Amino acid sequence: PWINDFFSVADRSSFSILLANATFLQIIFAPPFGSNAALWSLSYEFWYYVLFPLGWCALVRPGSKWQTVLGLSAVLLLLVFVGRNIATYFPIWLLGTGMYVLPQIPFLRRHYSTLTTSLAMGLFCIAVAMTHFGPIKQFLHNSVIMIDYLTAIMFAMLLYVLLHNRA
């Protein structure tokens, strides 16, 4: 009978919800199991780990045009299957791969210091604070998805700079 702050735990403790969670279908067909509302993230990660190799094989690996069409069709069908929220956040998840495949800037690699790292971290923290608490949040009309995208892009930029750190 325990009531979480936002929902009844008993209502989220059925066998069908457990089964949906065990097959990474929480948020798609069922809520997260029991009181652990954070289980939503496991389905996002699982489906991203399914979508990425399908897309990678379709776009990067050499193959026939039919293999490319089938692979991209599978990606599109899965994006429809998993729903709008998971599909909307997939590009954010892909930013990590983007930072890995982008070429390094030789200038940054040669002229790098602890001061540059500290400056990049400081700018990132200020930018995140402004995005979440300041005028930028208001400019974005408090759109959670826009704030998440902006935060992800800023973090990806910081990550890119940190990847050049040879100190």
Side-chain angles (χ1 to χ4, degrees):
W2 181 59
I3 302 293
N4 188 309
D5 292 340
F6 306 105
F7 55 82
S8 165
V9 175
D11 291 345
R12 291 184 171 200
S13 299
S14 69
F15 181 74
S16 63
I17 292 175
L18 176 65
L19 188 60
N21 279 244
T23 54
F24 300 101
L25 296 173
Q26 61 270 38
I27 301 301
I28 299 170
F29 291 127
F33 184 76
S35 63
N36 194 350
L39 286 175
W40 66 266
S41 65
L42 292 178
S43 65
Y44 279 59
E45 283 292 322
F46 175 82
W47 290 107
Y48 296 156
Y49 283 119
V50 170
L51 287 161
F52 179 78
L54 281 173
W56 182 267
C57 289
L59 295 173
V60 177
R61 292 194 54 191
S64 71
K65 290 186 181 194
W66 282 108
Q67 288 174 323
T68 302
V69 168
L70 284 174
L72 291 177
S73 297
V75 168
L76 290 174
L77 286 172
L78 276 175
L79 286 171
V80 170
F81 170 75
V82 297
R84 183 177 175 198
N85 284 341
I86 294 175
T88 301
Y89 279 89
F90 188 45
I92 290 176
W93 187 87
L94 287 172
L95 282 173
T97 301
M99 294 306 99
Y100 178 75
V101 298
L102 281 176
Q104 292 187 349
I105 299 171
F107 173 78
L108 286 175
R109 203 171 41 218
R110 287 191 309 268
H111 299 88
Y112 210 89
S113 70
T114 305
L115 178 63
T116 308
T117 303
S118 300
L119 182 61
M121 282 294 280
L123 288 173
F124 171 73
C125 291
I126 290 168
V128 167
M130 287 177 55
T131 302
H132 287 77
F133 303 109
I136 295 174
K137 183 177 180 179
Q138 293 170 352
F139 176 75
L140 297 172
H141 304 288
N142 296 323
S143 168
V144 173
I145 187 68
M146 293 303 294
I147 292 168
D148 289 345
Y149 264 85
L150 194 53
T151 303
I153 290 167
M154 289 184 299
F155 180 75
M157 291 169 36
L158 172 64
L159 181 62
Y160 183 76
V161 170
L162 292 175
L163 285 172
H164 290 86
N165 188 350
R166 301 293 179 227

